[in-house]
Amino acid sequence: MTRIYSYTQPLDADIVDAFCLMQKGFTDQFVYYRKDRPTRFMGLGRCIALPTLDEVECELTGPAAEQPVFFSFNRFDAHNPAPADELFQSFPNLHFMLPEVVLIENKGGAFLQVNSLGPVYTGRVERFARLALTAPHRTRRTVSYQLELDSRSAWEQAVGSGLDAIKSGRVEKVVLSRRLKLRADEPFSSKDLLVNLIDGTAHGTVLLYRYADVFFCGCTPELLVRKTGCELESMCLAGTCPASPDPAENERLAQGLLNDAKNRAEHDYVVRFIRDVLGRTCYAVDVPKQPTIMPLTRIQHLMTPARAKLLEGVDLWSMMGDLHPTPAVSGTPVGEAKMLIRRIEAYNRGFFAGACGYVDAAGDGEFSVALRTGVFDGEIGYVYAGCGIVDGSRAADEYDEIALKLKTVLSAFDGEAVTASSHAAQTSPQTSPQTTAQNAPQTTGETNPQAASPADLQEIPQVAGQTATQTAGQTSPQTTTAGKGEAR
């Protein structure tokens, strides 16, 4: 039996500002920060790492009764024998990590939590609280970088292999990804990228896991599972088209996506999978028949929410394992698609497309799918994004779609201020229920990502001081220099 002592008190400070000041003294850092609602946890240090929470007892002290928060970052395919990049390889294989200090923001306000394996010394809590109150307002910083672009010809071969497997009947869908190496022109920190993701235009949940000199971070739009008591929520997210700053054009693109046969088929694979999983472990399952649109900055997704009530004896960790990976990040059937990904992709995805989140000591919490993410060491890094391949997919369109998605993680290097209107947009609900298949005009054929500006679709985000060279069909890496990215 492991006994945890946890002391929590209210904090009259901005938790991001406090984190930026306090993080200098800790090499282990954990962040799960939803931008659309106050579900925000920022952890520092590591009190203990555990393989399971089955034998944990917690003693809560302090004026606020907040449960201790265990962070959990899980790989996409933990048993893949292919080596991950040298940065991902340095992370340990741990399931539940309890920080020494957690800054919390929820509906009840902001809190400071200190965890220990012995009774918490209140003097330590007081010192952390005083330090948090002295935190200056955070500032943003633009970091220029060079990006080695992969070749279109290699991508075409990968997509061709996926389509061959679909035609042979081995899979119905496979999700393939691209990995690009990034080299910064000057050193940067995990704090630099974190602040740009939180205060920038990216929508979704900001993730950070730092271990010593390496860190994994990004901003994902996809919830995998959330548990509150016996209430369970999930999300079916698949099917993509560009977004447009023009409202009329944006609505036309969204309506086209809702009625596009290829994207609806891709989405329906995910809906059926999640409905089946919930049907085995839950009751009162509610999965709408029609998707809605999740509008983001540069792209739009088909999204179907899923809700249910958990059967007694089923916990969040087991639900995460049952749901991950969904066909949205692997394909269908899931097992065959994972094996195909191992054969086609020359790298191990590491935490990219993995399940990352938190569980509190009461068993509640949530996990998101780690999309639009990267791994870095303060000088170099790798950025990742992917897309679903189904019958009718075109390699060129999918390559351009991934280029749009990469703009989210690359926006972490953009330190420009966000306008008030942009900030309001990023904190607004992420779905648009009024746009559904019932009111969308009928369209024929596949949604064409090139409906947006070709420059937007085919290039990595243009940045202050950026230049780019690109050779079509070239198999050696291509390089682009950048310093500011735009969110998806």
Side-chain angles (χ1 to χ4, degrees), residues 66-130:
E66 295 292 329
Q67 294 287 344
V69 175
F70 295 82
F71 288 83
S72 184
F73 286 75
N74 303 279
R75 291 161 173 81
F76 168 75
D77 184 357
H79 302 294
N80 186 350
D85 63 58
E86 66 269 28
L87 302 183
F88 271 137
Q89 289 182 32
S90 66
F91 285 93
N93 292 308
L94 302 173
H95 283 161
F96 299 102
M97 295 166 286
L98 178 68
E100 297 176 58
V101 180
V102 184
L103 299 164
I104 301 170
E105 184 179 353
N106 57 31
K107 292 180 180 179
F111 302 91
L112 168 67
Q113 181 179 90
V114 178
N115 300 306
S116 176
L117 299 181
V120 177
Y121 172 51
T122 56
R124 191 165 190 248
V125 179
E126 292 168 359
R127 282 196 291 270
F128 284 133
R130 288 197 301 269

Side-chain angles (χ1 to χ4, degrees), residues 356-371:
C356 301
Y358 73 94
V359 183
D360 69 24
D364 291 336
E366 67 180 70
F367 286 86
S368 289
V369 182
L371 306 178

Side-chain angles (χ1 to χ4, degrees), residues 110-332:
F111 302 91
L112 168 67
Q113 181 179 90
V114 178
N115 300 306
S116 176
L117 299 181
V120 177
Y121 172 51
T122 56
R124 191 165 190 248
V125 179
E126 292 168 359
R127 282 196 291 270
F128 284 133
R130 288 197 301 269
L131 184 61
L133 292 175
T134 66
H137 185 64
R138 59 192 178 272
T139 58
R140 298 179 61 184
R141 174 185 172 220
T142 293
V143 180
S144 61
Y145 59 84
Q146 299 178 31
L147 201 61
E148 294 180 5
L149 302 184
D150 53 351
S151 73
R152 284 183 177 264
S153 63
W155 173 251
E156 288 169 359
Q157 292 177 5
V159 173
S161 297
L163 290 173
D164 288 343
I166 292 170
K167 291 175 183 176
S168 70
R170 180 179 175 185
V171 297
E172 296 176 89
K173 170 186 175 180
V174 62
V175 179
L176 300 179
S177 66
R178 293 169 53 201
R179 177 183 72 172
L180 281 66
K181 187 171 184 178
L182 179 148
R183 190 176 303 277
D185 295 331
E186 55 187 326
F188 60 94
S189 69
S190 55
K191 183 196 74 170
D192 293 330
L193 303 196
L194 177 71
V195 169
N196 287 340
L197 288 170
I198 288 176
D199 291 342
T201 58
H203 290 256
T205 298
V206 177
L207 305 170
L208 171 70
Y209 174 20
R210 175 177 168 179
Y211 179 74
D213 294 328
V214 295
F215 57 95
F216 171 75
C217 71
C219 186
T220 176
E222 184 172 357
L223 171 71
L224 178 66
V225 60
R226 177 188 303 122
K227 176 184 176 295
T228 308
C230 70
E231 301 290 333
L232 194 82
E233 297 176 63
S234 186
M235 174 189 294
C236 313
L237 192 72
T240 306
C241 75
S244 170
D246 178 70
E249 175 64 10
N250 199 60
E251 180 67 14
R252 186 191 71 79
L253 292 167
Q255 291 173 344
L257 177 63
L258 283 161
N259 283 292
D260 179 72
K262 170 187 168 292
N263 279 285
R264 286 297 295 268
E266 181 182 344
H267 184 79
D268 288 345
Y269 291 133
V270 184
V271 172
R272 289 199 298 269
F273 175 85
I274 290 181
R275 185 184 285 120
D276 289 346
V277 170
L278 298 186
R280 296 194 302 269
T281 56
C282 303
Y283 64 101
V285 176
D286 179 17
V287 182
K289 294 182 179 180
Q290 300 293 341
T292 62
I293 291 292
M294 174 183 281
L296 303 173
T297 305
R298 286 284 181 174
I299 59 178
Q300 306 178 75
H301 288 302
L302 292 176
M303 194 281 290
T304 299
R307 295 178 176 84
K309 295 182 182 295
L310 272 176
L311 291 171
E312 186 176 354
V314 180
D315 61 22
L316 176 59
W317 180 254
S318 63
M319 284 303 306
M320 184 277 287
D322 288 344
L323 287 167
H324 183 267
T326 74
V329 291
S330 58
T332 189

